[in-house]
């Protein structure tokens, strides 16, 4: 697991040119890129070790392998003849994951001084490296596997002068995971007992959601895409999702007020026991619903992610994708494959932001693949006249299309924005992190002004990191508006040196009215610069909170 403390300590905030430049509190630490610190933490956390004592030594005269003495001490300066047998020949192996597919291997070799030894590294994927040493030495080697999963790395030492070999192996597990879409399925509903409990979650109580081994999800799933809904909470509060077996983080996923039904998409790491936990951080009971739409694993055939600059594929107000308000209890379909930057074939799922606006009554929207019946799940819940958005990850039907159903009895306008897609040909793998707060403008009493933006340098232009999985929340809103999250065309250095303000795209990630606290998941593209902008498209100020749950890496 990646250390949240390492990531959090590394993130800094830098104000835009339009914002006050003399806010010392915003410049935390050295504003090191989130990606760099996360990968550094991964190298420390994902370590695979096979000690020298496991080395198997074979001499030319022996009939069977025997364990090396592996004393850790070289034979000392000796002539080649005095080193006969090279009894201490051994290797200690320590492999660290450095990226989604990459590893660094430290091979600590013990050998008699003066004895020439050939070092063969078999990476277990058909590729080998060879080194030569003449004394005890630490060799560092790097390798990137083409496929995710487990790999057995074997190092063989050959001392031809003494007619002896020594071999040690270490099994490594890649850090990245890829996505498999799942038909929208309910895993938890405390109202009906789905998932094991038919009671509302008590104040500061925890609901456990079984993911691994449930509803066809493999037991070794690493993360899951869940739509979590808080239903009829008795007081104001929020829900936090986190992997079972870990400490409760300080982040939030679903924010609500008493009596409100609020869904929010989450991508959350799965605990070692296959569970995800949802804590009710409020002073009243709340019912919880969790619907799965996909999972991440290291299984063959799973799809990588391609992040896109947000673009709109449907806006019923403008007759785009569908004509006029969507009637109650009706469905319309959208062509996804071949639309805009999405390829015409091979797409398994699409990442969207779906907005309901100007509904004439209360209800919900459900997004699902074509070719199947509408599931008993919801993606966006709304009240009459409310504008509300939610992130959606949905499988794509066999014809390359998806369906959007208005489950209300009254008409509503619907907007759909694309932020990325999953396919076997996509290179980026998901690396979950501990839920980590990157930015909270309340901490400095420095809200985002109307029609202004905040920018965070998250990957510093590294092309191997393509997107971050964030939960963005607006709170203390002073008027109505919406938030747009998009990559910045300027680099960190250019932005610090007064680059002009970019033009935000015609898309939205979350919508609010005065006094609301609204969260939404954002799969934020890093673009070409690694700088991500958070635009307040309203005319009045709002506070902004940004939490990180992981990132996509193609290295």
């Amino acid at each position: 697991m990646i250390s949240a403390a390492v990531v959090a300590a590394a993130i800094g905030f830098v104000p835009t040119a339009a914002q006050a430049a003399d806010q010392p509190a915003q410049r935390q630490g050295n504003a090191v890129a989130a990606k760099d610190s996360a990968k550094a933490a991964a190298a420390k956390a994902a370590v695979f070790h096979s000690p020298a004592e496991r080395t198997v030594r074979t001499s030319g005269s022996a009939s069977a392998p025997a364990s090396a003495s592996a004393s850790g001490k070289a034979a000392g300066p000796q002539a080649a003849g005095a080193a006969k047998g090279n009894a201490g020949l051994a290797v200690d192996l320590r492999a660290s994951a450095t990226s989604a597919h990459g590893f660094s291997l430290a091979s600590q070799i013990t050998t008699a001084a003066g004895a020439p030894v050939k070092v063969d590294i078999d990476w277990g994927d058909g590729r080998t490296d060879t080194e030569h040493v003449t004394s005890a030495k630490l060799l560092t080697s790097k390798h990137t596997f083409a496929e995710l999963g487990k790999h057995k790395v074997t190092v063989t030492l050959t001392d031809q002068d003494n007619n002896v070999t020594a071999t040690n192996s270490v099994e490594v597990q890649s850090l990245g995971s890829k996505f498999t879409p799942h038909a929208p399925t309910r895993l938890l509903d405390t109202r009906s007992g789905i998932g094991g409990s038919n009671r509302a979650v008590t104040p500061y109580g925890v609901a456990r959601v079984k993911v691994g081994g449930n509803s066809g999800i493999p037991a070794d799933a690493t993360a899951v895409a869940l739509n979590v809904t808080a239903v009829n909470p008795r007081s104001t509060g929020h829900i936090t999702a986190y992997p079972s077996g870990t400490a409760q983080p300080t982040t939030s996923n679903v924010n609500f007020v008493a009596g409100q039904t609020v869904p929010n998409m989450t991508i959350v790491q799965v605990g070692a026991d296959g569970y995800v936990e949802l804590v009710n951080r409020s002073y009243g009971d709340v019912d919880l619903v969790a619907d799965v739409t996909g999972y991440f694993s290291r299984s063959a055939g799973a799809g990588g992610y391609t992040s896109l600059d947000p673009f709109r594929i449907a806006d019923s107000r403008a007759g785009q994708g569908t004509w006029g308000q969507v009637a109650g209890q009706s469905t319309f379909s959208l062509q996804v494959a071949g639309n805009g930057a999405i390829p015409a074939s091979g797409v398994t799922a699409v990442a969207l932001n779906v907005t309901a606006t100007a509904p004439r009554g209360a209800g919900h929207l459900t997004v699902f693949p074509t070719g199947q019946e509408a599931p008993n799940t919801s993606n966006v819940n709304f009240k009459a006249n409310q504008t509300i958005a939610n992130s959606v990850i949905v499988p794509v039907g066999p014809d390359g299309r998806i369906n959007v159903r208005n489950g209300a009895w009254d008409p509503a306008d619907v907007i759909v924005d694309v932020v990325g897609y999953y396919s076997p040909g996509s290179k980026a793998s998901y690396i979950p992190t501990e839920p980590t707060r990157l930015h909270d403008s309340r901490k400095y009493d420095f809200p985002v002004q109307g029609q202004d933006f905040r920018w965070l340098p998250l990957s510093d232009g590294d092309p191997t990191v393509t997107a971050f999985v964030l939960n963005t929340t607006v709170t203390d809103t002073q008027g109505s508006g919406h938030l747009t999250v998009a990559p910045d065309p300027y680099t960190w250095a250019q932005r610090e040196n007064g680059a002009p303000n970019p033009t935000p795209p015609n898309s939205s990630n979350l919508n609010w009215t005065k006094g609301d606290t609204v969260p939404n998941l954002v799969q934020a593209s890093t673009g070409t610069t690694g700088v991500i902008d958070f635009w307040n498209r309203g005319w009045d100020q709002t506070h902004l909170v940004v939490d990180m749950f992981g990132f996509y890496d193609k290295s």
Side-chain angles (χ1 to χ4, degrees):
M1 183 182 299
I2 297 176
S3 169
V6 175
V7 178
I11 300 298
F13 165 73
V14 186
T16 70
Q19 297 160 347
D22 58 348
Q23 299 285 336
Q26 279 101 45
R27 295 181 179 271
Q28 304 173 70
N30 297 316
V32 178
K35 172 272 309 176
D36 292 334
S37 55
K39 283 187 176 179
K44 295 178 181 178
V47 175
F48 307 88
H49 182 218
S50 183
E53 286 78 5
R54 295 180 183 173
T55 304
V56 175
R57 181 175 175 274
T58 306
S59 64
S61 59
S63 59
S67 295
S69 64
S71 64
K73 297 181 180 180
Q78 304 175 44
K84 185 176 181 180
N86 201 347
L89 188 65
V91 58
D92 179 284
L93 303 179
R94 191 177 297 270
S96 301
T98 57
S99 66
H101 293 252
F103 286 86
S104 176
L105 176 67
S107 304
Q108 179 63 63
I109 298 168
T110 302
T111 181
V117 173
K118 184 175 72 164
V119 182
D120 292 308
I121 304 173
D122 182 348
W123 293 101
D125 61 353
R127 288 178 286 178
T128 60
D129 291 327
T130 300
E131 302 274 358
H132 296 271
V133 301
T134 57
S135 62
K137 187 174 182 179
L138 175 64
L139 292 178
T140 301
S141 311
K142 296 184 182 300
H143 186 72
T144 300
F145 292 97
E147 300 296 332
L148 298 174
K150 292 183 179 180
H151 303 273
K152 185 178 181 181
V153 181
T154 302
V155 176
T156 301
L157 312 180
T158 303
D159 179 353
Q160 292 182 332
D161 288 356
N162 288 282
N163 195 25
V164 63
T165 63
T167 301
N168 196 359
S169 298
V170 61
E171 190 172 74
V172 300
Q173 175 71 72
S174 56
L175 194 61
S177 301
K178 292 192 174 182
F179 184 76
T180 299
H182 191 288
T185 304
R186 188 145 291 174
L187 300 184
L188 174 74
D189 190 338
T190 59
R191 301 168 302 178
S192 63
I194 295 175
S197 173
N198 60 357
R199 294 183 179 180
V201 184
T202 56
Y204 290 87
V206 172
R208 285 170 52 81
V209 183
K210 181 172 176 57
V211 175
N214 191 7
S215 295
I217 302 171
D220 60 353
T222 59
V224 63
L226 285 178
N227 200 59
V228 178
T229 305
V231 181
N232 194 28
R234 279 54 162 184
S235 69
T236 298
H238 64 269
I239 303 300
T240 296
Y242 60 99
S244 174
T246 66
Q248 291 182 6
T250 58
T251 54
S252 65
N253 296 91
V254 185
N255 295 66
F256 49 80
V257 297
Q260 186 181 27
T261 296
V262 184
N264 197 27
M265 173 63 69
T266 66
I267 295 179
V268 59
Q269 189 174 1
V270 178
D273 61 358
Y275 281 81
V276 165
E277 296 189 346
L278 308 174
V279 59
N280 169 22
R281 285 185 171 148
S282 76
Y283 291 110
D285 293 355
V286 60
D287 278 305
L288 292 179
V289 176
D291 302 318
V292 62
T293 61
Y295 59 87
F296 294 84
S297 69
R298 301 178 180 99
S299 304
Y305 183 65
T306 297
S307 181
L308 301 173
D309 288 353
F311 70 95
R312 186 152 290 174
I313 61 171
D315 187 343
S316 62
R317 302 169 303 177
Q320 180 184 5
T322 186
W323 290 97
Q325 285 200 312
V326 182
Q329 301 295 305
S330 70
T331 300
F332 70 95
S333 67
L334 288 171
Q335 183 67 38
V336 171
N339 195 338
I342 304 173
S345 62
V347 177
T348 58
V350 64
L352 309 169
N353 204 70
V354 179
T355 304
T357 187
R360 299 185 188 180
H364 66 272
L365 300 178
T366 298
V367 186
F368 60 102
T370 54
Q372 67 176 54
E373 296 295 322
N376 183 31
T377 59
S378 64
N379 297 98
V380 183
N381 293 65
F382 50 81
K383 299 178 292 187
N385 301 315
Q386 184 183 23
T387 296
I388 188 168
N390 195 17
S391 182
V392 175
I393 299 174
V394 60
V396 176
D399 57 357
R401 301 176 71 87
I402 60 171
N403 288 330
V404 182
R405 182 176 186 271
N406 177 11
W409 294 103
D410 302 291
D413 279 307
V414 176
I415 302 166
V416 181
D417 298 316
V418 176
V419 299
Y421 64 88
Y422 298 90
S423 72
S426 298
K427 302 300 183 183
S429 302
Y430 183 60
I431 299 178
T433 66
E434 292 180 14
T436 306
R437 183 144 292 174
L438 301 185
H439 176 66
D440 188 342
S441 65
R442 300 170 300 181
K443 186 175 181 180
Y444 316 110
D445 193 23
F446 193 62
V448 186
Q449 300 301 312
Q451 301 299 312
D452 202 355
F453 71 108
R454 196 133 298 170
W455 57 276
L456 295 178
L458 294 188
S459 70
D460 199 23
D462 183 345
T464 65
V465 173
T466 62
F468 281 83
V469 175
L470 309 171
N471 204 66
T472 56
T473 304
V474 294
T475 189
D476 298 330
T477 52
Q478 301 302 301
S480 298
H482 67 273
L483 187 77
T484 296
V485 182
D488 195 302
Y490 296 100
T491 65
W492 181 1
Q494 290 171 325
R495 180 78 27 232
E496 280 196 312
N497 290 323
N501 290 354
T503 300
N506 183 33
S507 62
S508 67
N509 295 92
L510 58 87
N511 299 69
W512 67 86
T513 56
K514 183 178 180 179
D516 283 348
T517 294
V518 182
N520 200 10
L521 181 82
V522 177
Q523 302 215 77
S525 170
T526 56
T528 59
T529 66
V531 177
I532 299 174
D533 295 335
F534 300 80
W535 285 89
N536 173 8
R537 305 300 301 278
W539 293 103
D540 302 284
Q541 71 181 31
T542 181
H543 276 295
L544 173 69
V545 180
V546 181
D547 298 323
M548 180 176 74
F549 293 86
F551 60 93
Y552 291 95
D553 184 300
K554 63 181 182 181
S555 61

